[in-house]
């Protein structure tokens, strides 16, 4: 079948522009990562990579091969390569609620752009087209932890620090790019500005000057396509996407000596594939929750067609357990002070100190009004189920298939969670998690009902 996808032009970055800061020693690559460190060069690029409109800073190398990652308990087989942080693709189509931008707002923007005031990062800014080293380092650690526990997710093969990038085909030092961005930021500071807002802006600018460092990450996945790619695909693209995803799953199964094979030739074949990845997603989420972690953004863009949960830079520990260190007569005062400094909804005293919902998970700390779980947990359930509901609707799956998808998702979650009771310390027990995931899966996936999005704490 003829490849129906768009390609974009890139150029290799010269060796002096790169410093490899991470290499996955569990993976033997068929090439040197520095040989594929490409950057967007629309006018003069000599390398064509497959790109998709929804992915604004990543591109597919177009290579399908078997790469194994061996661990003590689990072996993973990946099939495809992806580069993240290689330039701002499709600026005319970019939109972000967290940035406050609509489609068309950024048309004509350069290959990299610093955006002050983003709610997407803890440091209050984002860089379109580039990947922050702090995010990459964090995602590498989360990937290593979760793959070691059997989760299907992306693997990081290499992370390369950038000293230069390409802007309109010309090499520009990262230092010069940052100086230009800072000059633009400072133009927005005015004497009429609220003093507190000006102070926050100066802090963010200082952080950008001192700490921002772009990298290119080479990621391995079983499929580079996401549920959203399939949902948005046209009639020419959709069959290609499905066939490639199933071929990758079959390649993986063959490498691992498994009998399962997938096809998209008939309606029944496609439904069986969808039922299978629903179970994979459920198990992935169970492993994540059993590890004490929440994802927070399980929308269709972070779920691959090979049953992977990806983009781990948002993954956070749900509960912080803080030990008390001091004289026993001071413990009550310490508890009161710690409670006052954090959301009290799930605050619990423990033998060693106290435990509460991690404020780093952002605006989803409080209990959701329906189930009483921390919003971040309910949001994971809701977003995953809603994503499966949407793709099932898009593919016009049968009522029977929807019911099986829901059943398999729950079964996968139970399997992945195991006997772990990671959040019992704040009163969120394993049995309650199973009750809620079953109810949401039955309502949203099996019955196809809608469920309102989980509002963040500022919206409620």
């Amino acid at each position: 079948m003829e490849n129906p996808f768009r390609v974009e032009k890139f150029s290799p970055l010269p060796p002096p522009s790169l410093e490899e800061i991470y290499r996955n020693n569990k993976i033997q690559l068929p090439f040197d990562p520095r040989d594929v460190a490409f950057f967007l060069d629309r006018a003069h690029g000599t390398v064509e990579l497959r790109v998709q409109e929804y992915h604004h800073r990543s591109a597919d190398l177009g290579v399908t091969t078997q790469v194994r990652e061996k661990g003590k308990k689990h072996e993973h087989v990946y099939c495809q390569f992806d580069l993240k942080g290689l330039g701002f693709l499709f600026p005319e189509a970019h939109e972000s609620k967290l940035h406050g931008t609509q489609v068309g707002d950024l048309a004509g923007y350069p290959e990299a752009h610093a955006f002050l005031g983003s709610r997407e990062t803890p440091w209050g800014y984002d860089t379109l087209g580039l990947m922050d080293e702090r995010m990459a380092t964090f995602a590498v650690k989360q990937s290593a932890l979760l793959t070691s526990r059997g989760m299907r997710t992306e693997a990081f093969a290499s992370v390369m620090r950038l000293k230069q990038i390409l802007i309109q085909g010309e090499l520009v030092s990262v230092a010069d790019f940052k100086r230009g961005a800072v000059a633009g930021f400072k133009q927005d500071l005015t004497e009429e500005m609220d003093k507190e807002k000006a102070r926050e802006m100066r802090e963010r600018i200082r952080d950008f000057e001192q700490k921002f460092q772009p990298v290119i990450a080479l990621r391995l996945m079983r499929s580079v396509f996401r549920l959203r790619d399939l949902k948005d695909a046209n009639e020419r693209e959709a069959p290609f996407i499905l066939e490639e995803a199933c071929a990758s799953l079959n390649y993986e199964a063959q490498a691992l000596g498994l009998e399962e094979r997938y096809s998209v030739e008939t309606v029944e074949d496609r439904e069986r594939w969808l039922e299978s990845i629903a179970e994979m997603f459920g198990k992935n989420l169970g492993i994540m929750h059993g590890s004490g972690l929440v994802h927070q953004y399980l929308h269709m863009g972070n779920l691959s067609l090979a049953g992977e949960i990806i983009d781990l830079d948002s993954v956070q520990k749900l509960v912080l357990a803080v030990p008390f260190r001091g004289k026993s007569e001071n413990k009550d005062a310490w508890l009161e002070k710690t409670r006052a400094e954090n959301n009290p909804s799930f605050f619990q005293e423990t033998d060693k100190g106290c435990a509460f919902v991690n404020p780093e998970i952002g605006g989803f700390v409080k209990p959701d009004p329906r189930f009483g779980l921390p919003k971040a947990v309910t949001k994971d359930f809701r977003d995953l189920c809603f994503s499966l509901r949407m793709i099932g609707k898009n593919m016009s799956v049968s009522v029977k298939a929807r019911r099986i998808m829901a059943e398999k998702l729950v079964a996968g979650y139970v399997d992945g969670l195991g006997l772990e009771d990671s959040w019992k310390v704040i009163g969120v027990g394993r049995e309650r998690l199973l009750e809620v995931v079953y109810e949401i899966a039955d309502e949203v996936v099996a019955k196809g009902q809608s469920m309102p999005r989980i509002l963040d704490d500022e919206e409620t």
Side-chain angles (χ1 to χ4, degrees), residues 76-337:
H76 298 276
V77 174
Y78 306 96
C79 304
Q80 296 183 323
F81 299 87
D82 166 272
L83 289 170
K84 188 170 184 178
L86 74 179
F88 187 25
L89 297 158
F90 306 108
E92 69 283 353
H94 185 78
E95 63 176 330
S96 171
K97 292 179 181 178
L98 296 176
H99 290 156
T101 56
Q102 304 294 322
V103 172
D105 288 351
L106 304 184
Y109 269 52
E111 289 80 356
H113 178 72
F115 194 100
L116 199 63
S118 172
R119 294 171 56 198
E120 195 165 0
T121 66
W123 35 86
Y125 58 81
D126 199 2
T127 42
L128 302 177
L130 303 178
M131 188 177 192
D132 193 300
E133 183 176 315
R134 289 168 288 184
M135 278 194 166
T137 301
F138 182 80
V140 165
K141 291 179 180 178
Q142 300 292 34
S143 173
L145 170 67
L146 292 167
T147 55
S148 73
R149 298 183 178 183
M151 181 171 159
R152 297 172 67 83
T153 186
E154 62 200 347
F156 286 82
S158 173
V159 177
M160 293 163 279
R161 184 179 292 155
L162 300 182
K163 299 177 183 179
Q164 294 176 305
I165 58 176
L166 287 167
I167 302 292
Q168 295 182 342
E170 298 293 328
L171 279 172
V172 175
S173 72
V174 168
D176 284 345
F177 168 75
K178 289 172 68 171
R179 275 192 286 269
V182 167
F185 293 158
K186 289 182 176 178
Q187 288 181 353
D188 294 332
L189 287 168
T190 63
E191 294 182 1
E192 297 79 17
M193 184 177 290
D194 176 80
K195 289 184 179 180
E196 181 61 24
K197 183 177 180 181
R199 183 189 64 79
E200 290 180 0
M201 284 186 65
R202 290 190 181 96
E203 286 181 358
R204 291 170 181 172
I205 292 170
R206 189 159 49 248
D207 187 280
F208 179 79
E209 288 180 299
Q210 297 174 359
K211 298 181 180 180
F212 172 69
Q213 173 60 53
V215 298
I216 287 181
L218 175 62
R219 302 186 295 176
L220 302 178
M221 289 179 273
R222 297 159 179 89
S223 173
V224 296
F225 292 117
R226 325 291 170 82
L227 293 187
R228 178 165 177 172
D229 297 324
L230 181 57
K231 175 180 174 293
D232 292 345
N234 60 38
E235 292 182 358
R236 290 183 63 241
E237 295 169 337
F240 187 96
I241 287 175
L242 281 172
E243 286 187 14
E244 183 177 299
C246 286
S248 292
L249 282 167
N250 292 339
Y251 198 14
E252 176 195 10
Q254 183 181 26
L256 293 173
L258 304 176
E259 295 182 0
E260 190 69 70
R261 296 293 184 271
Y262 297 94
S263 171
V264 293
E265 292 183 3
T266 68
V267 172
E268 291 75 19
D269 288 335
R270 293 191 288 273
E271 289 183 342
R272 189 172 65 84
W273 159 76
L274 195 51
E275 293 160 6
S276 295
I277 66 168
E279 185 171 14
M280 295 174 193
F281 290 140
K283 184 172 182 176
N284 290 338
L285 186 57
I287 292 170
M288 186 178 291
H289 285 181
S291 302
L293 304 170
V294 288
H295 189 286
Q296 305 183 78
Y297 297 102
L298 291 179
H299 53 68
M300 300 179 79
N302 288 335
L303 302 169
S304 90
L305 298 191
E308 299 158 297
I309 290 177
I310 57 177
D311 285 353
L312 303 178
D313 48 80
S314 66
V315 172
Q316 290 284 353
K317 182 184 295 187
L318 179 71
V319 175
L320 288 185
V322 181
F324 170 69
R325 305 185 189 281
K327 296 181 179 180
S328 57
E329 60 265 28
N330 297 330
K331 186 175 181 181
D332 288 344
W334 175 81
L335 284 169
E336 185 176 348
K337 180 176 182 293

